[in-house]
Amino acid sequence: MRTNLKVVDNSGAKRVMCIQALKGKKGARLGDTIIASVKEAQPRGKVKKGEVVYCVVVRAAMPRGRCDGSEIKFDDNAVVLVNKQGEPIGTRVFGPVPHELRKKKLVKILTLAEHIA
Amino acid sequence: MLGVARLLTSRLNHTFALSTSRLSLLLGSSSSSRGLSSGGVRSKVEAVLNLEEVKKVLSDLRAEDIQIIPVKSQCEWTDFMVIATGTSTWHVRNIAQALIHKVKQKQKGAERLLLPSVQGHEGGNWVVIDSGNVIVHALDEKARSYYKLESLWLTEMAPKGPNQDLEKALVKTRRKNNSKKSVEGVS
């Protein structure tokens, strides 16, 4: 709640603020979907400021354990805008995205990504 | 103990758990039930769907504009990307169903089915079928022109050589000692 996240696709939004984590009592982690409100947007984009959108967390500063014992953590918290059915609104995703998205059935975001960590 | 391992793998069966179920069967009981990150482990078993089978199924269904892109050089998590267009949402869903049907036929008689995961089936706009080495995208016309997947994967990305800045940063360099002061040797 109230976490400011960076938007890393070309859907037009720049910063969003989380208003609800859809799964988990303790908050959303890497790969989870959240509901967020757009706080800052580019002038000609697909979303406008003040819109309520669904997003998927693709980078989180909190370390996430992998099953081989290693942990992965990023320097920033980033998010990709998604519609209610799970289709990404933007057409490209910038920056690295983790492998965890594949297990979470988010292969669409993986195909649009430019680099996979 | 082996019985416990079987129980756990059957639970994971309907999600994408290629490497998990195979490897835990091989290693027996001691390997944990936690899902193996499919990006890290390249399973040596044959892909659930072969490229030729996918081509055949797609051409049987008269999917338009089939493109097969080998992305082995570009990305580590898959070998081939197949992109096909369907005329309508029903056609797109049909392509997904036909591929699943083909997988079921191929695995008839095995005691455990290993199905590829299907994403986007309800929307009908863009269905992704993830089967290990081969990933099949079934889109409709509008989605294809919107996402432009070919332009993303066909253009050769710059080969990711070793990150030179990182290497330079990790090497310890001594500062050059330009001082005129003579160094007293320890004798």
Side-chain angles (χ1 to χ4, degrees), chain A residues 42-111:
Chain A
Q42 272 165 359
R44 272 161 290 281
K46 295 171 193 122
V47 287
K48 291 200 186 356
K49 181 175 156 182
E51 260 184 47
V52 172
V53 285
Y54 281 71
C55 321
V56 167
V57 179
V58 295
R59 294 207 283 272
M62 181 163 110
R64 166 106 168 176
R66 292 209 159 151
C67 44
D68 59 353
S70 61
E71 284 186 338
I72 182 166
K73 66 180 178 203
F74 296 91
D75 275 339
D76 59 347
N77 301 310
V79 103
V80 168
L81 297 193
V82 155
N83 72 358
K84 247 187 159 166
Q85 280 78 33
E87 319 253 344
I89 299 179
T91 56
R92 298 284 181 265
V93 173
F94 306 113
V97 290
H99 277 299
E100 270 82 4
L101 299 181
R102 194 176 193 184
K103 193 90 196 289
K104 297 233 172 191
K105 304 204 154 212
L106 295 167
V107 177
K108 294 188 187 177
I109 300 177
L110 276 183
T111 57

Side-chain angles (χ1 to χ4, degrees), chain B residues 8-28:
Chain B
L8 295 165
T9 50
S10 65
R11 219 184 339 129
L12 293 168
N13 218 3
H14 48 276
T15 59
F16 176 69
L18 245 193
S19 31
T20 311
S21 48
R22 290 295 179 126
L23 280 174
S24 44
L25 281 172
L26 286 172
L27 296 170

Side-chain angles (χ1 to χ4, degrees), chain A residues 18-62:
Chain A
C18 171
I19 54 183
Q20 183 67 273
L22 287 177
K23 272 207 167 167
K25 228 169 21 173
K26 292 187 186 170
R29 293 163 158 224
L30 204 60
D32 290 341
T33 330
I34 62 171
I35 306 182
S37 150
V38 178
K39 289 292 176 191
E40 196 185 310
Q42 272 165 359
R44 272 161 290 281
K46 295 171 193 122
V47 287
K48 291 200 186 356
K49 181 175 156 182
E51 260 184 47
V52 172
V53 285
Y54 281 71
C55 321
V56 167
V57 179
V58 295
R59 294 207 283 272
M62 181 163 110

Side-chain angles (χ1 to χ4, degrees), chain A residues 92, chain B residues 69-71 73-74 148-159:
Chain A
R92 298 284 181 265
Chain B
I69 307 171
V71 292
S73 54
Q74 291 175 24
K148 299 192 203 44
L149 288 174
E150 298 96 359
S151 66
L152 187 59
W153 289 106
L154 276 177
T155 52
E156 277 291 329
M157 295 204 292

